[in-house]
Amino acid sequence: MKLPRPVIPTLVALAFFGGWEWLVSSGRVNDVLVPAPSQILQWFLEALKSGELLSATWVTMRRLIIGFAIGVSLGVPLGALSAQVRWIRDTIGVLALGLQTLPSVCWVPLALLWFGIREEAVLFVVVMGTIWAVVIAVQEAVLNVPPLFLRAAQTMGSNGWHLWSHVIFPAALPGVISGMKQGWAFAWRSLMAAEIFVVIVTGFGLGSLLNAGRELLRMDQVMGVMAVVMLVGLLADLIFFAPIERWLRRSRGLAR
Amino acid sequence: MSLAPSNSSNPVALALRDVTKRFHGAAGEVTALENITLDVHEGEFLAIVGPSGCGKSTLLSLLAGLEHTNEGTIELDHEAVHAPGRDRLVMFQQDALFPWLNVLENVLFGLRLKPGLSDAERVESARYYLNLVGLGNKEKSRPHELSGGMRQRVALARSLAPNPRVLLMDEPFSALDAITREQLYSDIQEIFTKRQKTIILVTHNIREAVCLGDRVALFSPHPGRVQRVFDIQLPRPRRMNDPALATLAAEVTAELSIHLSQPS
Ligand SMILES: Nc1ncnc2c1ncn2[C@@H]1O[C@H](COP(=O)(O)OP(=O)(O)O)[C@@H](O)[C@H]1O
Ligand SMILES: [Mg+2]
């Protein structure tokens, strides 16, 4: 007999959460340290009802999306320029390589000093998280456009901006998308770190909500926010990146 | 069946004079081509054949304007060639079809860059050439959905559609299986006789060169030079298994081995 594929994962999840619930409710595990799934769920419903969770999610998403958009719209042309112009590649390209390895939460002290405890400081951190991964990905993607495409297009009369918009960018698109995905992941992580460690008066995001839970010793809130953060990350991938990648794979037959 | 047209009385389309091309590679300077002098006449099918490394692709790049000569001149209709241009289209060894465009859009790529046409005329022309290569029913397909032979046909349609003065072909059949190749040989010959294009085909396959060329220029390597030019006076359409063709191919092969056996 062959079980449908979802059966085993469902059973494992049920056993896991059931066991967890039992360990806590029977008092074997202190619920101050580890709240039961039901307690987390209860916090989740309450926070949803009070609007607290939605407003925090909105604040965080807004920062992420604006910061990501700025990072991408600066990073794409910069990466393209860096691929095209040797001395820019040798300067900004190399700088990007270094800065990409720097967790962007390291920018927080400077950002606070430069922008004050304001929205701009958070955005700066998010932009720094996004931009370098995008620059490097775009640069590599453009440099890896098969020369054959360029030669073919040039003999057909394409050059300058037409060559960029009709050949180089479409050819580099898969690489650019995976760079954006990486930039998104970096931005998401750095934003969480910034929100948790810095009290930003201009908005109460998910990170702040998690930190508030810590201060109140409410681990149900902490773990609830963790679950939401995970969910948002998954949803972003599901709604934004996965369809684009699927479309690329289908239309170009890219093997993965 | 028609007799091979005698094109040598036609005016010269492409004129190469003492063309020399050197590369500075990792292993020092390489002379890819040395003192190449050749005339290609209007409506002529010139096949260039030689072992790999004898500068065939380099020559096509020079003709296409993708590379520049170190010495000598290349003229098309008495005008120096120094940049890529629609009047000289290239069909490459691997099909350089764009994977983000479907078949029709690929063929339209060059047409869209050609001024003085309406969009409707462009689409009509693209369809005409797709039908000519027998792929009229594939216009919505993506390149990856086609076989290697079909992709090369699309590439051929794409190179023909903007109606270039000269069609340059860089080993366009070498990645294909024998049956597909045979089919394409007859397609090319049919198109050639029908459209009276000036075609330069580069290949390392001697039989292929003899099958397709009005003339066959044999190149020798290190540095690339014209060793000998053969006139191929066989009627078209020619078939690869024609014994007369085999005899001529053997002659070219013999000439090639003379050179290869000489100590250099
Ligand atoms: N861009 C390049 N840089 C350095 N050497 C090159 C370059 N292109 C071709 N060559 C050299 O020129 C010679 C001729 O190459 P090519 O024209 O590709 O030969 P073929 O197409 O006949 O095989 C070879 O020795 C090759 O190594
Ligand atoms: Mg070659």
Side-chain angles (χ1 to χ4, degrees), chain B residues 61-198:
Chain B
S61 293
L62 292 172
L63 295 177
L66 292 163
E67 303 266 7
H68 299 282
T69 58
N70 292 106
E71 283 155 38
T73 56
I74 298 175
E75 288 182 354
L76 174 61
D77 299 328
H78 307 292
E79 285 199 34
V81 163
H82 44 66
R86 257 189 303 283
D87 48 3
R88 289 154 281 127
L89 288 190
V90 192
M91 187 178 163
F92 295 93
Q93 174 171 359
Q94 309 106 351
D95 64 90
L97 297 182
F98 302 135
W100 56 91
L101 300 177
N102 68 26
V103 164
L104 183 68
E105 288 163 338
N106 262 291
V107 178
L108 276 168
F109 189 95
L111 283 166
R112 288 228 167 91
L113 284 158
K114 194 175 170 174
L117 291 174
S118 73
D119 276 349
E121 285 169 327
R122 292 192 172 107
V123 172
E124 190 189 338
S125 172
R127 294 215 164 106
Y128 170 81
Y129 283 99
L130 273 177
N131 281 324
L132 196 64
V133 297
L135 288 176
N137 57 344
K138 292 281 185 205
E139 60 176 57
K140 287 276 181 292
S141 300
R142 293 281 177 159
H144 74 269
E145 295 165 336
L146 305 179
S147 68
M150 288 174 172
R151 280 204 293 272
Q152 279 304 53
R153 287 215 177 97
V154 178
L156 179 62
R158 182 172 75 170
S159 317
L160 288 171
N163 196 20
R165 277 281 279 124
V166 183
L167 176 62
L168 306 169
M169 302 204 280
D170 191 356
E171 309 202 22
F173 314 113
S174 60
L176 304 176
D177 61 275
I179 296 169
T180 311
R181 227 181 303 168
E182 186 83 14
Q183 180 60 45
L184 272 168
Y185 293 153
S186 66
D187 290 357
I188 290 270
Q189 292 189 70
E190 195 186 319
I191 290 166
F192 172 70
T193 354
K194 221 191 260 177
R195 312 282 312 172
Q196 284 303 312
K197 274 248 145 328
T198 308

